Amino acid sequence: MQYNPGWNSSSVNLLHVRAAGPGDSLHYVWSSIGAPAVLLVATQSPSSALRVNWTQLLSPSPAGAIWIDPPDSVVYSTAVVFTKLFEFSDAKPFGELFYPTYDLSEFSWDSLNHTLNHTALTAELSGVPASDPGGSFANGSLAFRVTAYEAGGRAGRLPSLLHTADSSQLEFILAGVAPRGNSSRFVLEVATVEEAGAVRRLRSERSIDDEYTPTIFEVLSLVAEPQNGSSTLGFLQWKATAYGSRSPRREDGIRCRAQGLQAANWTLPVSSIVQAYFGESLGSTCTVSALNVSFGGEEGQVYQEKRYLSWSVLLGFGQPPRDTFSALVISITAVALGTPLAMLLLGSCLVLLARRRRYSEYEPIN
């Protein structure tokens, strides 16, 4: 993990996370320069490196300021941008009432270097609006907590997402922010950037297994696929829940919905690392898609009691991880289903044996 590689100032945030394999390497570049974003690049070289022209990156025309060396080693690249936070009230009888939008490209962000933990491979990007006339953020903040992984496993806190060494977890946190309505609900807008030849699709999978995330039976994945193939290039994956506590429990669950993936026909908010890497292709050959992730139940009581909201999403390359039943659940299921079946078979055998014995006692009439 490198913070602002090649730059000594902490006035801006750029975090480079590199994972090296025997024949390839993966790059995650997180930044709050402009709208918060992450650039994901997969290469076929174990020694590929990130290069940054800081003077150009911080200029009004950052195109070409970020690249991977050697350039021909890149096999796939994409970006995810967190653009806006919406707040609306669903109170009756007035229906939905939208408050002024929080544009994340206009936030003021703390130095990420203060939260960088090289041992745990974590960092947290925290910010508040540069202008907050209503004072909603006077005692609160919006944050993105990043966790990288060296091996496969499962997160210890709910929703206990399953991860691989090719993935990283992002936790979106809204803490202490005063809602502007009595029944406010929040919606996070997420945009993705794909180069020509790749397209994003939203998948929903349901399972009867809620062993690791109680009462949650749905997993959503925003996958990138080639237009002429069925393989998966990259993904965002999350469970259909958020939590309203710093130490989440089952009863702290908040309903989470994805409100459809659409082609973004608007100009992507200023995000320097995305523009710096994709350059002129961002407005021509690249495809920009967006979806809204909403938090809250039917009555909209999301945030009033504890004023805390956290949502976890996994980002990575290749196929998203798939949960399977643990050995304990398989054993319990086998016993629960196998015992009645064994008793049924044993009972059938005893009945047949008893019938044969009874009929064998009859003497022939003639």
Side-chain angles (χ1 to χ4, degrees), residues 1 11 24 38 51 82 93 95 119 123 130 140 175-176 196 226 237 262 295:
M1 301 178 74
S11 60
D24 56 6
V38 55
R51 305 299 184 195
F82 301 92
T119 303
Q237 184 185 63
Q262 297 181 352
F295 310 102

Side-chain angles (χ1 to χ4, degrees), residues 48-171:
S48 62
L50 175 73
R51 305 299 184 195
V52 181
N53 183 330
W54 282 97
T55 302
Q56 187 175 356
L57 177 62
L58 300 178
S59 72
S61 302
I66 293 179
W67 71 97
I68 298 295
D69 190 25
D72 58 0
S73 67
V74 176
V75 293
Y76 173 65
S77 56
T78 184
V80 181
V81 187
F82 301 92
T83 52
K84 297 176 182 178
L85 180 69
F86 301 100
E87 181 184 352
F88 68 96
S89 176
D90 211 9
K92 294 178 175 54
F94 304 105
E96 292 183 354
L97 171 63
F98 279 84
Y99 299 97
T101 302
Y102 294 117
D103 189 336
L104 301 189
S105 66
E106 299 177 355
F107 269 47
S108 174
W109 301 95
D110 295 337
S111 174
L112 186 147
N113 194 36
H114 300 319
T115 63
L116 188 57
N117 187 325
H118 289 274
T119 303
L121 300 179
T122 60
E124 184 171 313
L125 186 65
S126 178
V128 298
S131 175
D132 184 25
S136 296
F137 279 78
N139 298 309
S141 65
L142 182 152
F144 295 95
R145 183 179 297 155
V146 178
T147 304
Y149 297 109
E150 292 182 311
R154 188 180 298 277
R157 299 170 68 246
L158 290 176
S160 305
L161 293 176
L162 181 66
H163 62 259
T164 67
D166 297 342
S167 61
S168 295
Q169 181 172 291
L170 177 71
E171 187 177 0

Side-chain angles (χ1 to χ4, degrees), residues 144-208:
F144 295 95
R145 183 179 297 155
V146 178
T147 304
Y149 297 109
E150 292 182 311
R154 188 180 298 277
R157 299 170 68 246
L158 290 176
S160 305
L161 293 176
L162 181 66
H163 62 259
T164 67
D166 297 342
S167 61
S168 295
Q169 181 172 291
L170 177 71
E171 187 177 0
F172 165 71
I173 301 170
L174 197 64
V177 179
R180 290 173 285 184
N182 293 329
S183 55
S184 285
R185 297 170 63 180
F186 294 95
V187 179
L188 179 65
E189 184 179 72
V190 183
T192 62
V193 179
E194 293 293 334
E195 291 184 307
V199 63
R200 287 276 178 176
R201 292 186 173 89
L202 182 63
R203 296 177 180 171
S204 174
E205 295 185 6
R206 294 183 178 273
S207 170
I208 62 171

